[in-house]
Amino acid sequence: MSERIEDYWPLAAGDDAVGDSSQPTQKRSSPPNEDTDLLDAYSRAVMNVVDTVTPAVISVTGRSGEREGGQGSGFIITPDGFAVTNSHVVGGRTSLVALTTDGDRLACDVVGDDPSTDLALLRLAGRDLPYVPLGDSQLLRVGQLVIAMGSPLGLQSTVSTGVVSGMGRSMRAGDGRLIDNIIQHAAPINPGNSGGPLVDSRGRVVGVNTAIIAFAQGIGFAVPSNTVQWVTAEFLRHGQVRRRQLGISAAVVQLPRSVVVELDLISNLAVQVMEIDSRGVAYRNGIRQGDLIVAINDRIVSNVDDVHRFLSRMPVETSLEFSIVRDGQMTQIALVQH
């Protein structure tokens, strides 16, 4: 999907079932007390999560006197005040105010802001704060219970439940890059939920709620917790999220049929280098204007998003081998960051 985050808006959903009392009733598949036990177990699971996680959930807004910006939610991940929210909630500001569920207003600074993943790391002015652990989003399964928490429309400590509806979605961030491995879920979320946690039944954060599709019912999206772990680690170790910069501008082009056949290519699309910075890593390693990128590390490249994925997934220190079509011939160029 290619929608931007700002194109997404709220809507909730529900359904009813109506029976016909004139028809003979069918035998229940399980005794009434078993149904009640199942409902109670579901309720207990949700209530336990709410009791555990709610103290770590915050509302986030700007400080008085600063320019207007987004207002949303967040959650504390360490007892010394580190917290996570959405980049679009931060809105380019460097200082914010966090409101806790106890009613305390805590000043907080923006440690890092990464629009490419719509994540930001905050540092609250507090100690011995309640916090919530990050889970492993790779362990999520479609159909699994998830709980969304936050302050939609200013209603603090709001809870909604749903299931994981899909995995591995993609969403375009505000800066144009794709955010991969997005979690789709059915827990109703609204403006103000942005930056709040998506939690599993054991109280572990598995995602950061970020958006829903306008006018759709029960389709919400969250940035996975494994992405949160990577981004926060980059902020704490390096002060920013490190990404490879090739120093090129590129566009998708269609290859001539003769070239596809002669070089035995799988795809007839390639990414053409339109402009190149002579100071960039691509130029220093031998890539030139007009080159056609068809693969990276033997993986097919058919659009600019494919290139961004390789650059974001591979460690900066790792060399990449580009398969380039130049003057009708295939050549391999190893890119080393130096």
Side-chain angles (χ1 to χ4, degrees):
M1 58 189 307
S2 61
E3 295 87 350
R4 291 182 180 272
I5 287 172
E6 54 265 32
D7 296 331
Y8 291 68
W9 299 94
L11 200 64
D15 54 22
D16 297 310
V18 179
D20 184 354
S21 60
S22 65
Q23 299 297 323
T25 57
Q26 295 182 349
K27 185 179 179 180
R28 297 179 59 90
S29 59
S30 58
N33 63 323
E34 290 188 14
D35 287 346
T36 302
D37 289 344
L38 288 173
L39 181 60
D40 287 346
Y42 175 88
S43 299
R44 285 195 298 270
V46 175
M47 289 187 293
N48 287 338
V49 169
V50 172
D51 290 342
T52 302
V53 177
T54 294
V57 180
I58 57 175
S59 297
V60 180
T61 188
R63 288 181 178 176
S64 176
E66 285 203 333
R67 69 178 179 84
E68 294 294 327
Q71 181 174 354
S73 306
F75 54 96
I76 304 169
I77 59 173
T78 65
D80 56 346
F82 284 104
V84 173
T85 188
N86 280 148
S87 172
H88 74 265
V89 170
V90 169
R93 294 171 291 189
T94 59
S95 58
L96 300 144
V97 172
L99 178 64
T100 70
T101 54
D102 291 334
D104 295 328
R105 294 177 63 86
L106 300 177
C108 57
D109 295 323
V110 178
V111 176
D113 184 4
D114 186 47
S116 295
T117 55
D118 196 29
L119 293 173
L121 182 65
L122 312 176
R123 183 69 182 273
L124 279 60
R127 292 292 185 273
D128 299 322
L129 298 172
Y131 65 98
V132 61
L134 294 173
D136 186 350
S137 53
Q138 285 189 331
L139 300 180
L140 283 176
R141 295 293 180 266
V142 173
Q144 182 174 336
L145 170 67
V146 285
I147 303 157
M149 307 179 71
S151 302
L153 304 174
L155 301 172
Q156 195 171 14
S157 302
T158 296
V159 176
S160 60
T161 63
V163 297
V164 175
S165 304
M167 298 291 296
R169 309 300 194 205
S170 294
M171 177 183 296
R172 200 165 296 281
D175 67 354
R177 285 178 177 263
L178 282 184
I179 310 175
D180 287 328
N181 298 319
I182 289 288
I183 302 165
Q184 179 188 335
H185 66 85
I189 55 176
N190 292 274
N193 270 117
S194 292
L198 185 71
V199 188
D200 67 12
S201 60
R202 298 179 65 181
R204 300 168 299 192
V205 174
V206 292
V208 180
N209 290 309
T210 188
I212 64 174
I213 295 180
F215 309 116
Q217 295 184 346
I219 302 180
F221 298 97
V223 180
S225 58
N226 287 9
T227 300
V228 177
Q229 292 181 354
W230 172 62
V231 169
T232 54
E234 287 288 300
F235 284 144
L236 294 175
R237 294 171 184 168
H238 308 288
Q240 62 180 348
V241 177
R242 298 175 302 161
R243 290 186 177 87
R244 292 174 181 267
Q245 300 293 328
L246 294 180
I248 66 172
S249 62
V252 177
V253 297
Q254 186 167 349
L255 297 171
R257 176 65 179 168
S258 58
V259 173
V260 174
V261 172
E262 182 178 351
L263 299 180
D264 194 24
L265 300 176
I266 296 176
S267 173
N268 66 343
L269 297 177
V271 174
Q272 184 173 34
V273 178
M274 308 302 291
E275 297 180 1
I276 189 164
D277 185 349
S278 61
R279 299 165 296 178
V281 63
Y283 186 87
R284 292 199 304 269
N285 284 272
I287 292 180
R288 295 294 180 261
Q289 184 176 355
D291 284 350
L292 301 168
I293 305 170
V294 295
I296 301 176
N297 286 8
D298 294 326
R299 299 292 298 273
I300 300 300
V301 168
S302 57
N303 55 60
V304 176
D305 289 330
D306 289 340
V307 177
H308 282 159
R309 287 191 182 98
F310 280 105
L311 297 182
S312 62
R313 290 175 180 173
M314 300 297 291
V316 174
E317 298 81 7
T318 304
S319 64
L320 297 175
E321 186 172 76
F322 280 55
S323 298
I324 300 289
V325 175
R326 180 187 295 170
D327 298 328
Q329 301 296 318
M330 181 73 74
T331 184
Q332 306 294 325
I333 297 178
L335 262 68
V336 180
Q337 196 83 22
H338 57 73

